[in-house]
Amino acid sequence: MLSLRQLQQFLAVADSMSFRQAADRLNMAQPPLTAAIRQMEEQLGVRLLERTNRITGLTAAGQVLRDEARRTIAQAERTIALTRRAGAGLTGSLRIGFVATAVRHIVPTLIANFRDTHPDVALELMEAPSARQVAALLDDRLDLGIVALPLPTGAEREIATRTVLRSELVAALPERHALAREPTAPLALAALAHEPWILFPANEGPGLHDRIVGACAAAGFAPEVAQRAVQMETIVGLVAAGLGVALVPALFKTTGWSSVVFRAIDGTPVPYEVALAWRRNDGSAALAALLASYAARNPGE
């Protein structure tokens, strides 16, 4: 089998029709080049060049080898280029999960900025609660999650995180509720002790669920859950329908829910944090490129 080096040597001769010019182009002496072409002819069992004391043309076999050599070298160069692009995270695919609250504040810029610089990386997006994303990451069904912290107990051993949003939880009240009359005043969480609550199931976001229940316990009560919903957006909608109260991210104060009043919690804030999450042992170049892209645009986080 002919090597790429042999094909390059033959092409240099075929293109210039001169051993001397081809040798100069290849940065080698002429005698070794002449010997290399003769060796190729012996290896193939055909004459490649018409020559007397100089090259006068290509044989039919030489013309075929010239055309095929050009295609082979072009494909080899393309293979090398694509391999290098894959190694730099410029090609491939990424499966990305996200919680609903990330749609407005994180997903657009994260995705748009990455697609600007890595248009050949295919992105598959999936909305899912934090616990489902963590399970998918651990099972290698997801490459990157955008999750609400904290992670389920023990998950941090295998999953790394980078916090991308810090906020706090606020009380969401139906606008006709008696406690909604002073929207700008902080509200004591204990005032909601006997209210019907809307809360997501503990198994869908155990870390954040524990924070909410823990804050209620610190205020001296356990929330009486009347309705359950998975997504925060749905929870706010149920509050708007007058079905109960809830603690939701302060981000919802800017989303235009006209029939819901949001009041800050008096005393120690209940934090709400969203983070990028990925497997610690994930060697994906595309994932590394996305994380590096985000870090470059957000160096202070």
Side-chain angles (χ1 to χ4, degrees):
M1 183 180 294
L2 299 180
S3 67
L4 286 176
R5 176 61 174 167
Q6 288 176 300
L7 295 179
Q8 290 169 334
Q9 289 172 335
F10 176 74
L11 275 183
V13 174
D15 289 343
S16 64
M17 300 301 288
S18 165
F19 281 110
R20 180 182 59 78
Q21 293 179 23
D24 290 343
R25 173 177 160 184
L26 294 169
N27 294 315
M28 63 183 297
Q30 180 177 332
L33 178 59
T34 302
I37 299 300
R38 285 176 179 162
Q39 182 181 3
M40 292 176 63
E41 290 178 321
E42 292 173 0
Q43 186 176 348
L44 294 169
V46 297
R47 286 189 307 111
L48 299 173
L49 304 174
E50 299 283 6
R51 57 183 181 268
T52 52
N53 58 344
R54 64 184 183 85
I55 300 172
T56 59
L58 299 177
T59 66
Q63 292 174 16
V64 171
L65 181 60
R66 176 197 59 197
D67 296 341
E68 294 300 323
R70 284 174 178 162
R71 280 192 282 268
T72 299
I73 290 173
Q75 180 59 46
E77 292 173 346
R78 180 175 182 273
T79 298
I80 291 170
L82 289 176
T83 301
R84 286 174 174 165
R85 284 175 62 80
L90 297 173
T91 62
S93 63
L94 285 174
R95 301 160 297 177
I96 301 174
F98 58 92
V99 291
T101 48
V103 172
R104 180 187 295 260
H105 301 277
I106 300 169
V107 172
T109 54
L110 176 72
I111 299 305
N113 292 338
F114 186 68
R115 286 182 64 83
D116 285 345
T117 54
H118 297 74
D120 294 328
V121 176
L123 301 178
E124 179 183 342
L125 302 178
M126 175 186 75
E127 181 182 335
S130 297
R132 295 186 203 176
Q133 290 187 58
V134 170
L137 285 169
L138 294 174
D139 292 342
D140 194 16
R141 291 181 286 110
L142 207 61
D143 302 303
L144 179 72
I146 306 175
V147 302
L149 295 178
L151 295 179
T153 302
E156 66 276 1
R157 289 194 298 268
E158 298 182 58
I159 295 179
T161 61
R162 178 189 175 103
T163 301
V164 295
L165 185 150
R166 290 180 173 86
S167 184
E168 61 185 53
L169 298 179
V170 296
L173 309 168
E175 65 175 346
R176 295 183 180 180
H177 196 286
L179 295 174
R181 294 171 185 169
E182 299 181 35
T184 60
L187 175 69
L189 193 54
L192 302 178
H194 302 294
E195 297 290 334
W197 277 67
I198 304 168
L199 190 59
F200 53 89
N203 63 338
E204 297 288 12
L208 183 58
H209 185 277
D210 288 350
R211 279 187 178 176
I212 293 174
V213 173
C216 292
F221 71 98
E224 299 175 5
V225 180
Q227 300 287 335
R228 294 192 184 275
V230 173
Q231 301 292 2
M232 285 290 184
E233 189 84 16
T234 305
I235 290 174
V236 176
L238 295 178
V239 171
L243 297 179
V245 301
L247 288 187
V248 300
L251 308 171
F252 281 100
K253 295 170 69 173
T254 63
T255 56
W257 281 92
S258 58
S259 53
V260 179
V261 171
F262 300 96
R263 292 186 62 178
I265 299 300
D266 194 19
T268 304
V270 183
Y272 178 75
E273 301 163 287
V274 175
L276 305 182
W278 64 95
R279 289 184 305 282
R280 293 186 184 275
N281 63 354
D282 194 325
S284 164
L287 174 62
L290 186 149
L291 294 173
S293 172
Y294 184 86
R297 291 176 178 272
N298 301 271
E301 292 184 357

